[in-house]
Amino acid sequence: MKRFRIIILLFITLVASSCNEDFLDKSPYGLGTFWNTAEDAELGINAAYEPLYFEESYGRGHFWLSTAGDDFIVNKNKTAVINMTNFTTNVNVAGYAKSYWSDFYKIIRRCNDVLKNVPEIEMNQQRKDRILGEANFLLGFAYFQLIQKYGGVPFYDYEAESNVNEPRLSLEDSYTRVENYLKAAADLFTEWEYAGEEMGRPHKGSALGLLAKVYAFEGKWEASKTASDQVISSQQYELLPNYQDAFSTTSENASEHLFSLRCKPVRHQGTITSIVHLPGSITNGSGWNYFAPTASLAKAFEEGDTRRKATLVDVNGGEFKFDGTTTVLSKDLVGSWGTDYICVKFAHPYKEKYVGWESGLDIPILRYSDVLLLNAEATIMLNNGGPANRDLGVAEAAESFNKVRVRAFNGDASKAIAEPTFNDLVKERRCELAFEECRHYDLVRWGLAEEIYNAGIDDPRGPRNYKPSIHNVFPLPQGEIDNSNGVLEQNPGY
């Protein structure tokens, strides 16, 4: 999939002036001649992607709350975020983490503008369907990201566009809305992978793959398996032979990437994801030092698992290549660092040449391996495996499970597991999807967060005081509650 151009529409970046100022974009002024042509429709959907490039969206924002997991920690003095992810505060006033909410509602508003206006434009029907499919897909994706973090959320309806200060829906109703958006997207998309100028855009596999994930979060295992089966049986996608290539600029167009944020190595046309994990002491001062892997994650990888080297490097004696030079690391060289490991999963573009904060690396958001493991998980659950029966082997899950596992060991078939258990599945998802915004939310949906976080094994934070009745979701940003004049209600316990 070669990159497609994201065009930023300045007229859509105005901030809302309702009582919820950061909630939704304001309808642009003086655009009476817009939404008339196919080109307008294309510009409109392209603009919906733009907030994903913001620093507190997929630049680094998606990492902040993910540090609640046991894979990595906040490596700087960001007290408000640290308190939230250590479960020691009852309010969200974090200057960084709170922006995620408003960024994603910008996406939501722009997609609603597309759904409202594009159906009336005279244009090629297949192109129209693709654009409307993208709008539905992005709505499902944006709401799902918010639901994982906050529970039930407010929904914006372009048919009642003056209602921008709405109460939250229940969690069940919120998920139903997301399902409907993704089903609509899957029906509208005509291709399993778009070609030509449309290459790189979401497609039928993107919608069904994300739908399989949504169903898994709801515990709808039959539906999750059906959706993931459709992706697999399409035979349109495959894993790259080398795991590390999935995070390189040379292989980012591979069909392993069902949905990626397309980036260019140009300021404000990419993200800072590649540089935020690295210490400045080994990157000529460019590293941002924000996040550090835990020993818990490092020890999760088995001997010979290629994903370990592709994911992290040891501070004591590990090799790191940057701008054409390979350095053997040491604590004296690295300096003050929160753990003994550095995340290098997104540093591949810097091996031969440093090209700036925005490396041009496409950020994978949904990969085929995730869908394969969701398929294996659904199969295990449907065969009486799961958190309450963790050691039950399920042979029916082996095929999809082992496609991921064997790839991690350079194709060594002897590493396959004939009857994967739920415990195998938990470990495989952790190693495969580290730093891809999965671990914390997986543990929450499995009901394992309390057990693991309060044990604190090999986590520099030690045991934490996680209470599922409170901490299965984060507190809503306090500023959004204040702006709503009480319409938005805070999550229980905060």
Side-chain angles (χ1 to χ4, degrees), residues 121-160:
I121 298 176
E122 292 187 9
M123 57 185 294
N124 175 272
Q125 189 62 46
Q126 186 171 358
R127 187 180 185 185
K128 178 186 288 189
D129 287 347
R130 189 260 299 165
I131 290 172
L132 293 174
E134 285 185 73
N136 277 283
F137 173 81
L138 287 175
L139 281 168
F141 169 73
Y143 279 123
F144 180 49
Q145 295 304 304
L146 293 168
I147 291 168
Q148 288 181 78
K149 293 168 178 62
Y150 303 112
V153 294
F155 277 73
Y156 172 68
D157 184 355
Y158 68 86
E159 294 182 335

Side-chain angles (χ1 to χ4, degrees), residues 59-60 63 272-279 287-291 337:
R60 60 182 175 179
F63 292 115
I272 57 172
T273 297
S274 295
I275 204 67
V276 296
H277 301 277
L278 304 175
W288 288 32
N289 313 344
Y290 275 120
F291 309 103
W337 196 249

